[in-house]
């Protein structure tokens, strides 16, 4: 049956809300939900990544070296880690909607306050507090995007919302920084980053729904039916299979290591750590390193921004093929492997603006894109009752990588190492990511197949009981 002629037979057995929308086409309501998630992720990315574009301006304004701003950069990343661990996992216990709205409000307020920071200590504190809000948002945002998407588009939805939207926010930050800093000052970049989320907040409160996985209990059947009716009026009247234990009251760390998931979780964490280490070295320090190598500020900013554009395009393309190939993530390791020679080529071309731009784009397309696809894998690897927890801890490992990479680069800059030498070290996390992702992709295929068999058996059991 063609997707546009889909309908649910009213005589069919009761199914869970997730099963009801698994094979149907995207409705206009689902597109609205994903659009809201995309908008939140974009503003999240703007606030998270903009600091890299304004480091030179802040350093010049305060009369300090770029390397001395490392504590402020790192404080924001530490906040992201703490937010993902402590608040992100609350989405599995208190609902995704509450966590997203609260975290969104927190990062809006403290990001805007950065514009009034008088010194590095205040800047670091505000970056930390904004980071806590940012870290809380993303795990639940990714979980929502997966839960409101049909099966054939889950990977692409998670990639677009979880990573590509953040990258697009970074692109927006680069474009606005290139305009606002010369015309006004670096403070204006953060004012925009605080005002925009506050303007969007009423829309988020009005339109963002609760997770279907969180609502799928007999006690909240009315809410489930209202959400399903907005997806399709016909779904609001169909028989539902609701279980009190669908979403656990607790989602402990141990769930991520149960049922043969321990090797998968460890490989996922290593892959995220290395991937984000590379990504944040590029986004945070590439402008400063290219400036030190003799490039103009404009070339440095646009090389970094275009690497992000390449990452977005590459991630969308890879996500499409992941869905088409039934959640096959094998090509991601190849992208990381190709990143090693690309980094070496970039290092040997740092004085040539055209070559810098070319290799920056290739780096984004092939080697920054795979980490975006990890969002899809982390969301699909764990059951709904532990999904935000699993994504939150994976992102925690990612944030640790995003701290370690830029921190090491900042120290090396202060030690006076050549930009080419510093950037060459990015080959280390890139090569490690190639190995870990390749092994993870093979094991994940078997795990996703096992989960599919479990879901089929559970549906058959429910049908028999009814």
């Amino acid at each position: 049956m063609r997707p546009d002629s889909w309908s649910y037979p009213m005589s069919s057995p009761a199914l869970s809300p997730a099963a009801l929308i698994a094979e149907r086409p995207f409705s206009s309501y689902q597109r609205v939900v994903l659009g809201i998630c995309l908008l939140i992720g974009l503003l999240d990315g703007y606030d998270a990544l903009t600091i890299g574009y304004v480091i030179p301006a802040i350093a010049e304004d305060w009369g300090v070296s770029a390397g001395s701003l490392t504590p402020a950069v790192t404080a924001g990343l530490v906040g992201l880690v703490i937010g993902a661990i402590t608040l992100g996992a609350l989405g599995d216990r208190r609902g995704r909607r509450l966590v997203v709205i609260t975290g969104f409000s927190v990062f809006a307020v403290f990001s805007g306050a950065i514009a009034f920071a008088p010194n590095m200590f205040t800047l670091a504190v505000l970056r930390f507090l904004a980071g806590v809000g940012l870290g809380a948002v993303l795990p639940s945002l990714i979980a929502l995007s997966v839960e409101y998407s049909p099966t054939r588009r889950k990977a692409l939805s998670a990639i677009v919302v979880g990573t590509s939207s953040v990258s697009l926010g970074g692109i927006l930050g680069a474009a606005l920084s290139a305009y606002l800093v010369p015309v006004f000052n670096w403070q204006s970049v953060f004012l925009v980053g605080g005002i925009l989320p506050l303007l969007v907040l009423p829309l988020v409160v009005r339109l963002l729904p609760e997770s279907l996985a969180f609502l799928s209990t007999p006690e909240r059947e009315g809410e489930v039916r209202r959400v399903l009716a907005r997806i399709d009026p016909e779904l609001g009247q169909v028989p539902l299979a609701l279980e009190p234990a669908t979403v656990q009251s607790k989602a402990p760390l141990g769930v991520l290591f149960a049922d043969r998931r321990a090797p998968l979780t460890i490989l996922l964490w290593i892959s995220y750590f290395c991937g984000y280490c590379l990504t944040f070295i590029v986004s945070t320090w590439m402008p400063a390193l290219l400036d030190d190598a003799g490039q103009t500020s404009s070339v440095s900013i646009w090389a970094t921004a275009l690497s992000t554009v390449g990452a977005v395009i590459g991630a969308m393309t890879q996500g499409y093929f992941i869905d088409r190939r039934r959640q096959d993530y094998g090509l991601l390791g190849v992208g990381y492997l190709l990143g090693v020679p690309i980094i070496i080529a970039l290092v040997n071309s740092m004085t040539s603006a055209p070559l810098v731009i070319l290799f920056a784009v290739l780096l984004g397309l092939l080697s920054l894109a795979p980490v975006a696809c990890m969002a899809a894998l982390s969301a699909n690897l764990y059951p709904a009752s532990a999904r935000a927890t699993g994504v939150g801890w994976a992102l925690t490992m990612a944030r640790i990588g995003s701290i370690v990479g830029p921190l090491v680069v900042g120290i090396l800059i202060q030690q006076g190492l050549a930009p080419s030498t510093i950037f060459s070290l990015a080959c280390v996390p890139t090569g490690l990511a190639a190995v870990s992702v390749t092994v993870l992709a093979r094991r994940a295929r078997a795990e996703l197949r096992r989960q599919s068999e479990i879901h089929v058996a559970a549906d058959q059991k429910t049908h028999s009981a009814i």
Side-chain angles (χ1 to χ4, degrees), residues 32-230:
V32 168
V33 172
L34 289 175
I36 291 295
C37 291
L38 176 64
L39 181 59
I40 296 171
L42 185 147
L43 295 173
D44 185 318
Y46 178 97
D47 285 321
L49 301 177
T50 297
I51 186 69
Y53 302 121
V54 297
I55 281 176
I58 296 174
E60 181 180 356
D61 185 28
W62 288 353
V64 298
S65 66
S68 66
L69 292 171
T70 301
V73 174
T74 305
L77 301 177
V78 171
L80 286 167
V81 170
I82 293 176
I85 292 176
T86 60
L87 301 178
L90 281 178
D92 288 326
R93 302 194 294 273
R94 296 290 182 263
R96 321 240 195 261
R97 185 176 185 273
L98 174 64
V99 171
V100 170
I101 292 174
T102 303
F104 190 61
S105 304
V106 168
F107 84 68
V109 170
F110 289 109
S111 291
I114 290 174
F116 305 98
N119 51 53
M120 280 192 284
F121 175 78
T122 306
L123 175 62
V125 170
L126 292 174
R127 282 273 299 163
F128 171 80
L129 294 172
V132 171
L134 291 167
V137 167
L138 204 52
S140 289
L141 209 60
I142 293 172
L144 276 172
S145 70
V146 168
E147 291 159 1
Y148 276 91
S149 298
T151 300
R152 67 183 182 279
R153 286 292 178 265
K154 286 184 182 295
L156 188 57
S157 295
I159 291 166
V160 170
V161 170
T163 309
S164 295
S165 65
V166 176
S167 298
L168 287 171
I171 295 169
L172 176 64
L176 289 180
S177 297
Y179 170 74
L180 292 174
V181 172
V183 175
F184 299 101
N185 48 43
W186 63 265
Q187 288 92 342
S188 62
V189 176
F190 292 104
L191 276 177
V192 170
I195 292 172
L196 285 179
L198 292 177
L199 292 176
V200 170
L201 184 59
L203 187 67
V204 173
V205 172
R206 179 177 175 81
L207 297 179
L208 188 72
E210 183 53 271
S211 161
L212 279 174
F214 187 76
L215 293 176
S216 295
T217 63
E219 296 80 9
R220 306 187 73 170
E221 181 177 350
E223 294 177 69
V224 175
R225 291 192 178 279
R226 283 194 291 273
V227 172
L228 290 175
R230 298 185 73 175

Side-chain angles (χ1 to χ4, degrees), residues 140-347:
S140 289
L141 209 60
I142 293 172
L144 276 172
S145 70
V146 168
E147 291 159 1
Y148 276 91
S149 298
T151 300
R152 67 183 182 279
R153 286 292 178 265
K154 286 184 182 295
L156 188 57
S157 295
I159 291 166
V160 170
V161 170
T163 309
S164 295
S165 65
V166 176
S167 298
L168 287 171
I171 295 169
L172 176 64
L176 289 180
S177 297
Y179 170 74
L180 292 174
V181 172
V183 175
F184 299 101
N185 48 43
W186 63 265
Q187 288 92 342
S188 62
V189 176
F190 292 104
L191 276 177
V192 170
I195 292 172
L196 285 179
L198 292 177
L199 292 176
V200 170
L201 184 59
L203 187 67
V204 173
V205 172
R206 179 177 175 81
L207 297 179
L208 188 72
E210 183 53 271
S211 161
L212 279 174
F214 187 76
L215 293 176
S216 295
T217 63
E219 296 80 9
R220 306 187 73 170
E221 181 177 350
E223 294 177 69
V224 175
R225 291 192 178 279
R226 283 194 291 273
V227 172
L228 290 175
R230 298 185 73 175
I231 294 174
D232 186 330
E234 187 178 277
L235 293 182
Q237 305 299 321
V238 302
L240 293 177
L242 302 175
E243 299 180 14
T246 297
V247 177
Q248 302 171 358
S249 60
K250 281 189 172 183
L253 182 61
V255 173
L256 311 185
F257 294 88
D259 297 329
R260 297 184 290 178
R261 294 192 193 97
L264 292 166
T265 296
I266 292 170
L267 286 168
L268 180 67
W269 288 1
I270 293 172
S271 302
Y272 254 122
F273 175 91
C274 294
Y276 265 65
C277 187
L278 171 65
T279 298
F280 274 74
I281 286 174
V282 172
S283 65
T284 303
W285 289 114
M286 182 183 274
L289 289 172
L290 290 176
D291 278 349
D292 290 344
Q295 288 296 340
T296 65
S297 177
S298 178
V299 168
S300 301
I301 289 177
W302 282 110
T304 306
L306 290 174
S307 71
T308 306
V309 173
V312 172
I313 296 172
M316 298 276 287
T317 303
Q318 292 174 20
Y320 172 79
F321 284 108
I322 288 170
D323 279 326
R324 286 291 299 269
R325 299 179 63 177
R326 298 181 181 275
Q327 309 302 305
D328 184 357
Y329 295 83
L331 291 176
L332 303 185
V334 177
Y336 278 124
L337 186 62
L338 292 174
V340 174
I342 292 173
I343 291 171
I344 294 172
L346 177 58
V347 165

